[in-house]
């Protein structure tokens, strides 16, 4: 089965493409390479034994979208393409709404024109904002988001809800990720952020490999066991498998389907630093800094729904996440 994977050259998209090929699916990648590199294709081919068809183009380019759909018998779409840096979104809200919201609407309109009714959307736990309950369930209220990135994901979710009501034959799945980390166990694929990393694990990795002097830990006075923020970190390989599980369980089932993808466990910033120190064999330097505005004390997922309906659950623990990240970073100190 051919599946269009927008943003398939990126961190989560590329790992998902490897798992898709191994599961017998045929990913067709569309990516504008604004935050990824074409070298990823060779790594995917080396791991999976097949090179995905790749279109260098933008989801906001209707001509490219129509070309992709007309040249391939696409049955479903996994939609990763989006800008994702919280801090940058505050500085560049126009770009985030244009790419993430407008781009998704362009994509869905092209799907409608091509008669493709199955969409799996890469959403985020940021749609929950500062949650009213922990662990977070799919029924936890959404919308109280604190930055344009999270708001763009929330807006897309709301648009997709309305679109599914108007087109009840569509299967639309919203996958709300928690904190993706890790790398392919081979060490040949991983996260390769452009510029200064926005997420914890790649920053720790760059400190460990000597590219950065120290990690800034924002706040050690939260009401948590060690005072640092607690998050639900999920291995990128588990996340990749979650997309395939969703595609198989509900990808052809009309309706709106919503799932949290996390481990159901929280780990603090200092626990992640400790796990990485053990993986790389030396201490990772860090400094305690003031809290960042908008950060919350703790956040992790209730994953019971995904377990029950998708027959999916995370398999990798923090030790594996750190070990796989270090293998990737140490063997590819400058990324791809």
């Amino acid at each position: 089965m051919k599946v269009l994977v927008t943003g398939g050259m990126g961190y989560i998209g590329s790992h998902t493409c490897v798992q898709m090929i191994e599961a017998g699916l045929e990913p067709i990648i569309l990516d504008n390479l604004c935050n990824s590199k074409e070298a990823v294709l060779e790594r995917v081919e080396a791991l999976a034994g097949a090179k995905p068809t790749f279109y260098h183009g933008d989801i906001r380019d209707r001509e490219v979208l129509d070309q992709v759909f007309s040249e391939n018998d696409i049955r479903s779409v996994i939609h990763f393409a989006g800008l994702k840096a919280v801090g940058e979104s505050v500085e560049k809200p126009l770009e985030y709404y244009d790419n993430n919201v407008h781009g998704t609407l362009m994509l869905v309109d092209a799907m409608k024109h091509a008669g493709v009714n199955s969409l799996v959307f890469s959403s985020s736990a940021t749609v929950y904002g500062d949650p009213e309950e922990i662990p977070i369930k799919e029924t936890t209220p959404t919308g109280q988001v604190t930055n344009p990135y999270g708001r763009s994901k929330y807006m897309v979710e709301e648009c997709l809800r309305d679109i599914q009501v108007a087109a009840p034959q569509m299967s639309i799945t919203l996958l709300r990720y928690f904190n993706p980390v890790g790398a392919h166990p081979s060490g040949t694929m991983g996260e390769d952020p452009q510029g200064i990393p926005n997420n914890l694990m790649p920053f720790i990795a760059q400190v460990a490999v000597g590219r950065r002097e120290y990690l800034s830990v924002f706040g050690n006075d939260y009401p948590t066991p060690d005072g640092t923020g607690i998050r639900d970190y999920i291995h990128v390989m588990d996340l990749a498998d979650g997309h395939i599980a969703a595609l198989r369980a509900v990808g052809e089932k009309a309706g709106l389907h919503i799932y949290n993808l996390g481990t159901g466990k929280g780990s603090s910033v200092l626990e992640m630093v400790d796990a990485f120190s053990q993986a790389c064999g030396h201490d990772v330097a860090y400094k305690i800094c003031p809290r960042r505005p908008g950060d919350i004390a703790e956040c992790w997922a209730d994953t019971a729904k995904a377990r029950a309906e998708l027959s999916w659950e995370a398999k990798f623990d923090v030790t594996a996440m750190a070990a796989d990240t270090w293998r990737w970073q140490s063997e590819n100190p400058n990324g791809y």
Side-chain angles (χ1 to χ4, degrees):
M1 180 170 84
K2 291 186 178 181
V3 180
L4 174 59
V5 183
T6 71
M9 304 288 270
Y11 172 44
I12 302 168
S14 59
H15 287 77
T16 302
C17 285
V18 169
Q19 297 303 91
M20 288 172 70
I21 294 168
E22 293 186 355
L25 300 169
E26 187 178 341
I28 309 293
I29 297 174
L30 173 64
D31 199 305
N32 67 4
L33 301 179
C34 77
N35 195 31
S36 56
K37 295 173 182 170
E38 199 164 348
V40 169
L41 268 184
E42 296 166 11
R43 308 287 179 102
V44 172
E45 182 181 21
L47 288 169
K51 190 174 187 177
T53 301
F54 169 57
Y55 290 85
H56 184 188
D58 196 291
I59 55 170
R60 294 165 294 181
D61 186 334
R62 182 56 186 267
E63 195 173 315
V64 171
L65 285 171
D66 289 341
Q67 178 189 357
V68 173
F69 282 112
S70 68
E71 292 178 357
N72 302 277
D73 182 21
I74 290 165
R75 295 276 300 280
S76 186
V77 177
I78 301 180
H79 178 32
F80 293 108
L83 300 175
K84 62 173 188 173
V86 169
E88 184 184 61
S89 76
V90 176
E91 298 167 8
K92 301 178 179 179
L94 179 61
E95 285 87 336
Y96 272 69
Y97 293 129
D98 182 42
N99 192 93
N100 296 2
V101 182
H102 174 227
T104 301
L105 297 179
M106 292 285 286
L107 172 65
V108 175
D109 190 54
M111 288 174 60
K112 182 179 175 184
H113 186 259
V116 178
N117 289 313
S118 175
L119 174 68
V120 176
F121 173 59
S122 164
S123 192
S124 166
T126 57
V127 300
Y128 295 115
D130 192 347
E132 296 178 358
E133 59 184 358
I134 300 288
I136 298 170
K137 298 183 172 72
E138 287 82 356
T139 53
T140 300
T142 59
Q144 297 302 310
V145 288
T146 56
N147 55 74
Y149 163 70
R151 199 166 292 114
S152 74
K153 290 292 188 182
Y154 172 70
M155 290 167 104
V156 170
E157 284 200 3
E158 292 299 291
C159 290
L160 293 177
R161 283 179 190 274
D162 292 341
I163 288 165
Q164 203 286 322
V165 169
Q169 76 277 11
M170 289 194 76
S171 168
I172 294 180
T173 305
L174 312 178
L175 297 182
R176 293 172 178 163
Y177 311 163
F178 279 67
N179 295 69
V181 297
H184 194 278
S186 66
T188 62
M189 283 176 52
E191 189 168 9
D192 183 21
Q194 310 292 314
I196 299 172
N198 291 286
N199 298 320
L200 176 67
M201 192 63 104
F203 209 112
I204 293 176
Q206 291 189 9
V207 173
V209 84
R211 280 175 64 181
R212 301 192 182 276
E213 188 180 351
Y214 61 88
L215 169 74
S216 296
V217 176
F218 297 103
N220 67 341
D221 57 350
Y222 286 103
T224 61
D226 64 18
T228 63
I230 289 177
R231 299 291 183 269
D232 188 338
Y233 297 95
I234 176 172
H235 199 297
V236 68
M237 299 301 289
D238 282 329
L239 196 52
D241 288 339
H243 290 77
I244 296 165
L247 206 57
R248 291 197 157 146
V250 295
E252 296 187 359
K253 184 178 173 185
L256 182 74
H257 316 288
I258 304 173
Y259 300 99
N260 288 333
L261 295 185
T263 63
K265 302 185 186 80
S267 300
S268 74
V269 174
L270 291 185
E271 284 174 336
M272 297 301 284
V273 170
D274 183 59
F276 210 93
S277 296
Q278 292 181 41
C280 71
H282 59 81
D283 289 343
V284 174
Y286 67 88
K287 289 185 180 179
I288 303 297
C289 302
R291 292 187 189 188
R292 290 180 301 190
D295 273 356
I296 58 178
E298 53 187 359
C299 169
W300 69 87
D302 183 322
T303 58
K305 187 181 179 191
R307 191 162 56 248
E309 297 183 14
L310 305 182
S311 300
W312 171 91
E313 62 182 328
K315 302 184 297 241
F316 295 100
D317 61 12
V318 169
T319 301
M321 297 174 202
D324 290 338
T325 302
W326 175 243
R327 189 177 302 110
W328 152 255
Q329 191 70 71
S330 59
E331 294 177 12
N332 303 269
N334 298 308
Y336 291 105

